[in-house]
Amino acid sequence: MYSSSPADAPIVREPFHAPVAHLIRDGVVEGIHYGSVVVLGADGEVQFQLGDIEAAFYPRSALKPVQAVAMLRAGLPLDGDLLSLAAASHSGEERHLAGTRRILALAGLTEDDLRNVPDMPYDPAVRDHWIREGRQPSRLAQNCSGKHAAMLWTAKLNDWSLADYLAPEHPLQQAIAEIVEDLTGQRIARTTVDGCGAPLFSISLHGLARAVSRIAAAVPGTPEARVADAMREHAEMASGAGRDVAALMAAVPGLLAKDGFEGVEVAALPDGRAVAVKIADGANRARVPVAAAALARAGVSQELLTEFAGEALLGGGRPVGRVRPVRSLEPVVASVCA
């Protein structure tokens, strides 16, 4: 355990976001994305911040590595690709559906036991293929199905009820909330319901960075290290083919990264350096370059981050600009270390 007495919950307020990215078309700033960014050093101290890193916010799926740690602490016997899937926002590829079935089978359960919301696959190409085949939304295809299957197995292993495993007062969700507070080092500000139906805990951006830093830098063999290892080694099981978060982990040795809806991203290195990003308007086109810029601020070589510099803006079918992080996010001194 990291903190026997977590700090007070972050304040629920309108965040004081700041400009974090510009849409630049032929040298003119056409648009501005607001948000917040925090960079932690290996010692856990804040090395850089922009916007509001202390206000309460919802980390969405960026919290899944923490939820996975909580389930391992409660006895979930997963490792490797299936543990990565338990922390996934997957694309709905056949390997993701097959992996979720494997978790359910290990638990002696079926798809009918899942209580997440039926959905089409998250990946557009996979979703289009489903539509052409006339397939309907399913609980397996929904991007959180691996997490839900793992939650069910954790509940069954502890002789907890299954039908109400998503209720905030359920012992499983109480155990997860306890680990959220342990790893973030702060009380939960508010609990709501995520898109998949599971409880969602409001923390600060600073707290999210601290939690994933602790997971990435954990002692081998601990639940935290097992989650980090599984996600690093099976990044496409935690996301999907062609997903930017998987490509980022492949590009930066040892990096643990997780995205979340509404423009959230968190990433951490094995020495504990970590970054967390929230884009105020939820735009993915700003999330990726801002997260890459934050990693460069943390000391990751910019050469490793080139492909994440921001998508091009087109004019007449040709590139005429791009989304660029604001200048204050640029590293003070270029680094060659990873």
Side-chain angles (χ1 to χ4, degrees):
M1 295 291 185
Y2 291 94
S3 175
S4 59
S5 181
D8 290 341
I11 298 173
V12 177
R13 65 176 181 231
E14 181 177 343
F16 307 129
H17 290 308
V20 294
H22 290 151
L23 280 67
I24 301 176
R25 185 181 296 269
D26 272 335
V28 174
V29 175
E30 184 176 31
I32 302 173
H33 288 289
Y34 284 73
S36 296
V37 180
V38 61
V39 177
L40 302 183
D43 59 359
E45 295 299 315
V46 175
Q47 301 297 311
F48 175 83
Q49 61 180 303
L50 183 63
D52 193 344
I53 69 170
E54 302 297 355
F57 92 120
Y58 291 120
R60 303 299 299 271
S61 287
L63 197 64
K64 283 178 179 174
V66 179
Q67 293 171 310
V69 169
M71 288 188 276
L72 291 187
R73 290 194 189 181
L76 181 68
L78 285 181
D79 282 294
D81 62 334
L82 294 185
L83 178 53
S84 184
L85 182 60
S89 300
H90 65 71
S91 291
E93 301 163 19
E94 286 304 321
R95 59 176 159 177
H96 299 130
L97 276 61
T100 301
R101 292 190 190 98
R102 285 166 58 198
I103 296 173
L104 290 168
L106 287 167
L109 301 170
T110 71
E111 182 179 356
D112 291 338
D113 295 298
L114 294 170
R115 293 291 181 269
N116 58 321
V117 177
D119 201 357
M120 299 294 281
Y122 176 73
D123 182 87
V126 180
R127 183 169 60 247
D128 288 348
H129 182 69
W130 271 51
I131 292 172
R132 287 194 298 271
E133 290 189 336
R135 299 172 72 175
Q136 298 300 310
S138 80
R139 298 186 192 277
L140 282 178
Q142 197 271 333
N143 76 89
C144 303
S145 64
K147 178 185 76 174
H148 281 257
M151 284 181 170
L152 278 167
W153 194 8
T154 305
K156 186 172 181 180
L157 288 167
N158 286 277
D159 293 323
W160 295 330
S161 58
L162 301 184
D164 61 340
Y165 76 95
L166 295 181
E169 63 274 12
H170 190 278
L172 169 68
Q173 303 303 337
Q174 290 293 302
I176 290 173
E178 180 180 343
I179 303 309
V180 169
E181 294 188 338
D182 180 32
L183 289 174
T184 62
Q186 61 188 181
R187 299 291 183 191
I188 292 167
R190 189 162 293 177
T191 301
T192 187
V193 182
D194 210 339
C196 65
L200 175 61
F201 307 109
S202 182
I203 54 175
S204 71
L205 195 66
H206 187 182
L208 176 65
R210 184 163 46 232
V212 176
S213 169
R214 288 170 167 174
I215 293 172
V219 175
T222 60
E224 292 89 334
R226 287 167 58 192
V227 170
D229 289 344
M231 293 181 69
R232 291 177 184 128
E233 294 169 14
H234 304 277
E236 291 193 346
M237 191 61 107
S239 54
R243 293 272 291 278
D244 59 79
V245 71
L248 186 61
M249 283 195 274
V252 181
L255 187 72
L256 172 64
K258 185 69 186 75
D259 53 350
F261 281 160
E262 298 303 322
V264 182
E265 182 141 350
V266 64
L269 292 153
D271 65 1
R273 286 176 289 161
V275 307
V277 170
K278 164 64 181 175
I279 305 300
D281 62 2
N284 275 329
R285 68 177 180 183
R287 171 183 58 82
V288 177
V290 170
L295 284 168
R297 264 272 179 179
V300 174
S301 169
Q302 290 181 289
E303 293 181 0
L304 300 176
L305 301 167
T306 302
E307 67 177 289
F308 310 101
E311 67 182 63
L313 300 180
L314 302 180
R318 64 180 181 85
V320 293
R322 68 174 52 252
V323 180
R324 293 181 58 88
V326 294
R327 290 191 181 278
S328 59
L329 264 171
E330 295 177 358
V332 177
V333 179
S335 172
V336 295
C337 64

